[in-house]
Amino acid sequence: MDIVLQQLVNGLTLGSVYGLIAVGYTMVYGIIGMINFAHGDVYMVSAYITAIVLALLSFFGIHSFPVVILFTLLLTIIITGVYGWTIERVAYRPLRNSTRLAPLISAIGMSLILQNYVQIAQGARSQGVPTLLDGTLRMHIGDGYVQLTYMKVFILVAAFSGMGILTYIIQKTTLGRMCRATQQDRKMASILGINTDRIISYVFVIGAAMAALAGVLITLDYGSFDFFVGFVIGVKAFTAAVLGGIGSLPGAMLGGVILGLAESLFSGLVNTDYKDVFAFGLLVTILIFRPSGLLGKPAVEKV
Amino acid sequence: MSNVASEKMLEFKDVDVFYGPIQALRQVSMHINKGEIVSLIGSNGAGKSTLLMSIFGQPRASAGQIIYCGQEITKKSAHFVASNGIAQSPEGRRVFPDMTVEENLLMGTIPIGMAHADEDIQHMFNLFPRLKERRNQRSSTMSGGEQQMLAIARALMSRPRLLLLDEPSLGLAPIIVKQIFSILKDVSGTGMTIFLVEQNANHALKLSDRGYVMVNGQIRMTGTGQELLVNPEVRDAYLGGH
Ligand SMILES: Nc1ncnc2c1ncn2[C@@H]1O[C@H](COP(=O)(O)OP(=O)(O)OP(=O)(O)O)[C@@H](O)[C@H]1O
Ligand SMILES: [Mg+2]
């Protein structure tokens, strides 16, 4: 029983981070109907930015955890957002009215550029950041217990807050309504006075910002990373987005959490080596019964 | 109308529009004066919707000029045009399917901001009580006629100087059509300029100060609403009268 609970908690943590990254895939897909293949690398870049910001803060003698975490989150999110904006400008906007395949290829190109640029600038070896938050929270349940490092508690809180804030922005604010309008009918949105190119840029920035939040959290927790970390987690997050129904924001979050839970439960209860097989098996099974994902809408041809 | 200074609000000068190789507008010249109600009639495929959309550059005119309040807007972006006071209830309604009625109305406020939003939404609910009942319903689940009302209300929400309506009576019950035309008359009384595309030529011309008849992408005829109403050619082709 303990192990199930423990793995549920672990899975929720992992899944919340998948959800954060999946948001970027799903929003970009929703608004331009294309997969941003460079998104995993945006995540990877944010890991490096996290390390650089941490080094700078430490250089200036700032060590208090709340201050460090606040600055790291803020700066990493902003700088990674600029990367998201640039990717849209360079790889997508010039190809807005071309064939659907062209931006797909330019996005793969962008992904390669980012990986190689980071490799050249930062070296190919894996890097690390120091532990910021020590200690473990232990909750007794019956005669057993569930334990969670403080860092994981922080991840849970930060990730769900991030998703909560984003949901609020998309559902309740003018910016969010403009995003949804552009997603649902771009031409009509422009006729109503929305600068749809700008909204598409914002969506890339939002996606990158969410990936950056995930990047900071995972990097602080895990400690080490290299220029290739974006790949696996990108594939996982993409899987989460498809699982939840690509294009659907709550779907991406739900997909992330389900994927995280499935992975953790399977590796805790059955076998660690085959957890990815199980996760993808789950995806296939769900897609057989719900081809458009859990919360996705049946595909309609975009005009 | 004699009491309206005939200052041009919108003018087309020799405008050509193409869809790929297909020419949809040929040398179209027409204008709408400030405060007027002008209607455009013509058979299916004549190019009426194309003319309305070309004001927003979608599709863009390949030759000629479109001038709005003295400024050339031929090459301006759609959002620029909208921000300067032109609103359209387009062909096919194009309400945002996954938004509620209220959210759709709010989308109309983009050019002017939210300052009057509550007041204007109440006003729209008074004009179209049906929308009030459905305010939290997703618009894709509304009937065609309800969506039509929503599209018109959404256009009105931006308090436009020039209101473009593409077949506002389409799919509406006769009693509602009557209401809509009386609403148009009212808003026109507040100084709004209205440009109307209609299949329902009888209604439209009765309401209009002037009208244009379009055939195969060209303006074939123009005159006051009354003149066109009694014109035998117009009667035969568009009023079903003999
Ligand atoms: N996207 C498009 N691509 C190619 N041709 C188009 C396109 N849209 C319209 N056309 C063509 O342009 C011409 C004018 O179309 P338009 O929609 O402006 O007509 P309309 O007068 O509004 O007709 P209706 O009364 O049926 O709405 C038609 O021949 C139509 O087939
Ligand atoms: Mg039409």
Side-chain angles (χ1 to χ4, degrees):
Chain A
M1 194 57 220
D2 288 352
I3 179 129
V4 174
L5 262 177
Q6 180 67 54
Q7 290 309 89
L8 275 177
V9 175
N10 291 349
L12 204 59
T13 318
L14 182 65
S16 64
V17 177
Y18 286 161
L20 286 178
I21 306 172
V23 158
Y25 283 110
T26 220
M27 286 183 74
V28 164
Y29 182 84
I31 210 150
I32 57 174
M34 276 175 282
I35 307 299
N36 179 5
F37 281 101
H39 191 57
D41 301 290
V42 170
Y43 165 87
M44 175 272 293
V45 166
S46 78
Y48 280 87
I49 299 171
T50 305
I52 294 169
V53 174
L54 283 174
L56 277 176
L57 289 174
S58 146
F59 177 79
F60 287 111
I62 302 168
H63 294 292
S64 124
F65 178 75
V67 180
V68 170
I69 194 75
L70 190 74
F71 271 95
T72 311
L73 281 174
L74 219 62
L75 287 173
T76 308
I77 285 175
I78 292 171
I79 299 170
T80 311
V82 174
Y83 274 87
W85 182 86
T86 310
I87 288 174
E88 195 275 331
R89 268 304 165 100
V90 175
Y92 285 90
R93 190 173 300 187
L95 299 169
R96 186 84 85 230
N97 298 314
S98 67
T99 63
R100 280 173 69 90
L101 228 45
L104 196 125
I105 290 165
S106 66
I108 293 175
M110 210 63 217
S111 157
L112 293 174
I113 289 171
L114 285 176
Q115 283 177 22
N116 285 288
Y117 149 71
V118 168
Q119 205 179 153
I120 291 165
Q122 298 282 327
R125 277 178 307 130
S126 119
Q127 302 200 11
V129 295
T131 311
L132 284 186
L133 197 57
D134 269 327
T136 301
L137 182 73
R138 193 178 274 210
M139 280 171 294
H140 290 271
I141 296 155
D143 31 270
Y145 62 84
V146 169
Q147 62 177 12
L148 202 58
T149 61
Y150 285 130
M151 193 59 225
K152 287 233 159 52
V153 176
F154 181 74
I155 292 181
L156 267 178
V157 173
F160 279 100
S161 308
M163 292 194 269
I165 292 169
L166 180 64
T167 304
Y168 175 81
I169 291 175
I170 295 298
Q171 289 304 324
K172 298 288 178 207
T173 66
T174 302
L175 172 66
R177 278 192 295 273
M178 293 201 284
C179 290
R180 283 186 286 145
T182 306
Q183 168 168 1
Q184 289 170 35
D185 188 341
R186 198 192 302 172
K187 188 165 164 186
M188 191 62 222
S190 70
I191 286 172
L192 288 168
I194 296 173
N195 184 344
T196 53
D197 276 339
R198 186 178 297 165
I199 295 295
I200 292 171
S201 284
Y202 288 161
V203 164
F204 273 82
V205 171
I206 292 172
M210 286 296 169
L213 175 55
V216 173
L217 297 175
I218 293 282
T219 305
L220 289 181
D221 185 39
Y222 208 69
S224 73
F225 55 89
D226 58 36
F227 69 95
F228 206 59
V229 286
F231 180 73
V232 175
I233 204 161
V235 170
K236 288 279 175 63
F238 176 61
T239 306
V242 174
L243 184 68
I246 192 133
S248 157
L249 185 59
M253 300 172 186
L254 181 68
V257 168
I258 290 178
L259 194 69
L261 287 174
E263 245 186 72
S264 288
L265 285 176
F266 189 86
S267 58
L269 303 176
V270 188
N271 179 317
T272 312
D273 295 335
Y274 289 102
K275 68 177 196 311
D276 291 349
V277 175
F278 178 70
F280 289 112
L282 183 76
L283 172 75
V284 171
T285 315
I286 288 182
L287 289 185
I288 287 172
F289 294 104
R290 287 193 63 93
S292 47
L294 291 171
L295 303 181
K297 287 193 304 179
V300 261
E301 194 55 36
K302 280 218 169 185
V303 273
Chain B
M1 272 181 204
S2 50
N3 60 341
V4 177
S6 59
E7 191 182 333
K8 281 178 188 161
M9 173 147 254
L10 184 77
E11 185 175 17
F12 274 62
K13 281 185 181 166
D14 299 323
V15 170
D16 284 343
V17 168
F18 288 84
Y19 291 107
I22 304 166
Q23 186 162 12
L25 298 186
R26 295 163 197 274
Q27 298 274 299
V28 167
S29 293
M30 51 88 60
H31 69 273
I32 300 160
N33 294 322
K34 231 167 224 168
E36 272 187 323
I37 303 181
V38 174
S39 54
L40 176 64
I41 58 176
S43 51
N44 294 127
K48 307 179 297 293
S49 302
T50 303
L51 190 149
L52 285 193
M53 292 306 283
S54 71
I55 297 168
F56 293 87
Q58 308 199 356
R60 208 168 276 296
S62 58
Q65 286 182 307
I66 303 172
I67 295 159
Y68 170 64
C69 292
Q71 185 185 9
E72 177 165 4
I73 57 166
T74 325
K75 298 206 157 51
K76 298 287 189 196
S77 62
H79 62 87
F80 176 90
V81 173
S83 308
N84 281 278
I86 305 185
Q88 175 168 202
S89 165
E91 176 163 56
R93 305 166 190 126
R94 302 187 89 145
V95 294
F96 298 108
D98 292 338
M99 289 191 185
T100 65
V101 166
E102 215 163 67
E103 285 175 328
N104 265 285
L105 290 176
L106 285 175
M107 293 319 296
T109 65
I110 301 292
I112 57 168
M114 297 280 281
H116 309 289
D118 290 338
E119 174 195 342
D120 287 357
I121 285 181
Q122 282 315 318
H123 183 50
M124 293 310 141
F125 285 165
N126 290 337
L127 293 178
F128 305 98
R130 196 61 185 215
L131 296 183
K132 186 173 187 174
E133 293 166 30
R134 312 268 148 161
R135 62 197 294 173
N136 293 318
Q137 188 174 328
R138 271 177 60 219
S139 71
S140 61
T141 62
M142 302 224 296
S143 81
E146 288 165 347
Q147 291 186 22
Q148 184 71 59
M149 296 177 205
L150 180 55
I152 296 170
R154 180 180 61 184
L156 285 170
M157 284 294 290
S158 69
R159 301 189 166 189
R161 287 198 277 170
L162 174 60
L163 176 66
L164 310 174
L165 298 162
D166 199 335
E167 305 198 28
S169 71
L170 190 73
L172 293 175
I175 172 103
I176 307 288
V177 173
K178 232 179 183 154
Q179 270 177 34
I180 297 239
F181 277 89
S182 111
I183 288 171
L184 293 183
K185 200 164 188 163
D186 289 347
V187 296
S188 156
T190 68
M192 200 180 287
T193 308
I194 298 176
F195 185 37
L196 189 64
V197 165
E198 260 299 340
Q199 293 290 343
N200 203 332
N202 195 16
H203 252 112
L205 290 175
K206 271 185 189 151
L207 178 76
S208 300
D209 299 303
R210 292 188 303 114
Y212 289 91
V213 178
M214 184 168 242
V215 179
N216 281 333
Q218 286 176 309
I219 299 290
R220 174 64 62 82
M221 241 184 287
T222 177
T224 65
Q226 270 311 313
E227 283 166 5
L228 292 177
L229 266 176
V230 298
N231 181 302
E233 215 178 307
V234 174
R235 291 194 74 82
D236 279 352
Y238 307 108
L239 299 173
H242 288 279

